Amino acid sequence: MRLALLGCGTVGAEVVRLLHEQSTDLAARIGAPLEIAGIAVRRLGRDRGDLPVDPTIFTTDALGLIKRDDVDVVVEVVGGIEPARGWLVEALRAGKSVVTANKALLAEDGVALHEAAAEGGGDLYYEASVAGAIPLLRPLRESLHGDRINRVTGIVNGTTNFILSAMDATGAGFAEALEEATELGYAEADPTADVEGFDAAAKAAILASLAFHTRVGAADVHREGITEVTAADVASAKAMGCTIKLLCIAARAVDPAGRETVNVRVHPAMIPLTHPLASVGDAFNAVFVEAEAAGQLMFYGRGAGGAPTASAVLGDVVAVARNRLAGVRAASESAYADLPVRPMGEALTRYHVSLDVADRPGVLAAVAGVFARHEVSIATVRQGSAGSTGTPGRGDDAELVIVTHVAPDAALAATVRELRGLAIVRSVTSVLRVEGGL
Ligand SMILES: NC(=O)c1ccc[n+]([C@@H]2O[C@H](COP(=O)([O-])OP(=O)(O)OC[C@H]3O[C@@H](n4cnc5c(N)ncnc54)[C@H](OP(=O)(O)O)[C@@H]3O)[C@@H](O)[C@H]2O)c1
């Protein structure tokens, strides 16, 4: 069984190392020896340390390597949309099996890859694209295929989880925590894809597609990052016995016409400390799956890093290599349910709102009136002197902390907009969505 490796960076180099170190076991598990036919990279002259591989198999001609007759499996760990899409479509159409870690491509144009796989008859596996080492996609696409998944809630971006955990532990602001993450190598020089939620949104699209048998792309995912999360938000969450996490949420919902739909979103949210995801710290990932018959399942582990990601890549390589030897292919994409994706405004969410208000009679009634006008029902109200939940006050102010029941997100957002314009509201100090029971 011969494979073409596209990319030899953080993940690719570990794939090479693991293939070498475990070659005997891998051959026994597959039923045939596994050999690297060639490695495509961008820079032939780059120092790759002491990689245990013949240096003459490196090439810059990825397409030429893919087209070689002696290549059975193509492993893509380059990333990005092009040229990766063109390479993988070519490989799949030619009947080769593909293993990729490329979440951005799968979320952008998974359809093209699945169609090419169906045309060529090879396998398309992508376990490493979501949550690194954590076996998650195979359970969703195989083990849970007899069940009905209702909701998937995950922490799928290690960089943002590190930053939010640091803010929670030290009271630091976002910029300070990002600086620490960069110094420790948890954030890239340009952290946009992580902190603005693009990376998590791509993963949310992949998870939703598998969980709900529906094609969900990156453009279908509502996305908010963590750059607006303040130290005051974190203090406010703590005062409620909560912590803030960047969550990816994919959930079934029923639209106003009674049709079944799905809602897929990525945004920071407060979760109670008793929630299974609250204790997921540092750069770890975890995904909480709620299924009709199986109940609640939690998947936890390292979501990134060369070796953990290479572990997931190699698991896929063994699976597709075995299938090829047996002359079979895995079940193809399952998108039969074809559920409509609901816009964020219709998603049912809960808000936690902290207000700095004038401390005088009638204020509470006026604030409650705004919620009522938007048909948002209030679950709890807590009142303290300003500053009691972490924000500085002026002496004649009071702080109101309101947690709502679920309501359409658009109604909650409109409520906050109106509160901001109210004369008695000196400032809206924190607005966060709430997930899990409070
Ligand atoms: N790093 C992680 O922890 C992690 C976790 C999960 C998933 N992933 C995914 O895994 C993939 C690879 O990530 P990585 O961190 O390993 O990236 P990386 O360290 O930047 O490595 C990228 C590799 O691709 C090669 N490359 C780039 N453009 C190329 C081109 N046009 N033609 C041929 N080769 C090209 C580079 O060649 P040179 O070596 O010559 O520069 C390098 O070897 C991405 O899809 C990423 O999202 C990564």
Side-chain angles (χ1 to χ4, degrees):
M1 194 60 54
R2 287 168 68 79
L3 63 87
L5 180 64
L6 312 182
C8 191
T10 308
V11 179
E14 287 302 323
V15 169
V16 172
R17 257 183 247 288
L18 288 176
L19 273 172
H20 177 75
E21 282 167 17
Q22 301 182 27
S23 61
T24 312
D25 285 324
L26 290 172
R29 288 170 200 170
I30 291 167
L34 200 56
E35 269 173 37
I36 304 180
I39 303 178
V41 293
R42 190 175 33 188
R43 296 162 289 175
L44 279 180
R46 181 178 173 185
D47 178 11
R48 298 180 197 278
D50 56 349
L51 267 191
V53 72
D54 173 3
T56 63
I57 67 169
F58 283 90
T59 174
T60 52
D61 181 12
L63 204 53
L65 174 60
I66 290 164
K67 285 181 171 170
R68 270 169 54 177
D69 289 340
D70 63 339
V71 167
D72 306 290
V73 176
V74 173
V75 176
E76 186 265 319
V77 280
V78 169
I81 308 300
E82 292 294 355
R85 173 169 40 197
W87 295 337
L88 297 192
V89 165
E90 177 76 31
L92 288 163
R93 281 198 186 135
K96 320 234 161 172
S97 295
V98 163
V99 172
T100 176
N102 194 334
K103 64 216 118 184
L105 175 56
L106 282 154
E108 171 79 17
D109 202 3
V111 173
L113 301 188
H114 286 295
E115 284 177 358
E119 200 183 315
D123 280 329
L124 170 64
Y125 273 51
Y126 43 96
E127 183 67 62
S129 65
V130 182
I134 307 171
L136 175 62
L137 304 193
R138 207 82 66 81
L140 288 179
R141 85 181 206 176
E142 290 176 15
S143 322
L144 287 164
H145 253 199
D147 208 333
R148 176 186 159 89
I149 295 172
N150 289 322
R151 191 179 175 91
V152 178
T153 312
I155 295 172
V156 292
N157 181 272
T159 305
T160 45
N161 202 48
F162 179 88
I163 292 170
L164 291 172
S165 301
M167 289 172 74
D168 189 80
T170 65
F174 168 75
E176 203 183 323
L178 171 61
E179 205 176 301
E180 189 191 349
T182 312
E183 270 166 25
L184 294 173
Y186 288 115
E188 292 182 21
D190 177 2
T192 312
D194 293 319
V195 299
E196 295 292 0
F198 290 100
D199 174 83
K203 293 165 178 171
I206 295 169
L207 289 175
S209 302
L210 289 172
F212 304 127
H213 305 272
T214 289
R215 284 177 173 168
V216 179
D220 298 317
V221 182
H222 174 85
R223 176 193 52 78
E224 292 170 35
I226 63 161
T227 53
E228 312 271 293
V229 177
T230 62
D233 289 334
V234 174
S236 210
K238 272 191 163 177
M240 298 285 296
C242 291
T243 186
I244 300 175
K245 297 290 184 191
L246 180 69
L247 297 183
C248 101
I249 299 165
R252 284 185 197 273
V254 176
D255 76 2
R259 286 179 313 165
E260 185 163 63
T261 63
V262 292
N263 173 252
V264 192
R265 50 201 163 100
V266 166
H267 56 70
M270 269 174 58
I271 52 172
L273 293 175
T274 49
H275 192 283
L277 292 174
S279 56
V280 177
D282 292 330
F284 278 86
N285 282 195
V287 176
F288 188 60
V289 177
E290 294 165 74
E292 199 78 33
Q296 300 180 335
L297 303 160
M298 174 93 157
F299 300 83
Y300 171 84
R302 292 196 184 278
T309 309
S311 161
V313 169
L314 278 190
D316 280 357
V317 167
V318 170
V320 303
R322 271 189 192 149
N323 285 351
R324 288 187 85 79
L325 277 182
V328 297
R329 77 180 286 246
S332 55
E333 179 202 21
S334 169
Y336 72 90
D338 197 21
L339 298 175
V341 182
R342 203 175 179 185
M344 184 62 190
E346 286 178 26
L348 295 178
T349 61
R350 297 173 68 199
Y351 272 29
H352 163 280
V353 185
S354 299
L355 305 171
D356 185 2
V357 295
D359 191 7
R360 52 173 196 257
V363 167
L364 190 54
V367 168
V370 177
F371 281 85
R373 263 198 299 289
H374 293 279
E375 297 184 20
V376 173
S377 165
I378 292 174
T380 61
V381 182
R382 199 158 56 92
Q383 184 169 0
S385 54
S388 58
T389 55
T391 50
R394 293 195 331 197
D396 61 339
D397 297 358
E399 178 151 59
L400 283 183
V401 180
I402 296 159
V403 179
T404 72
H405 284 297
V406 288
D409 198 79
L412 289 158
T415 306
V416 173
R417 266 197 308 277
E418 193 176 332
L419 287 171
R420 286 190 203 277
L422 227 54
I424 47 155
V425 173
R426 300 218 160 112
S427 65
V428 177
T429 50
S430 168
V431 180
L432 285 163
R433 294 194 184 87
V434 179
E435 291 293 325
L438 256 194

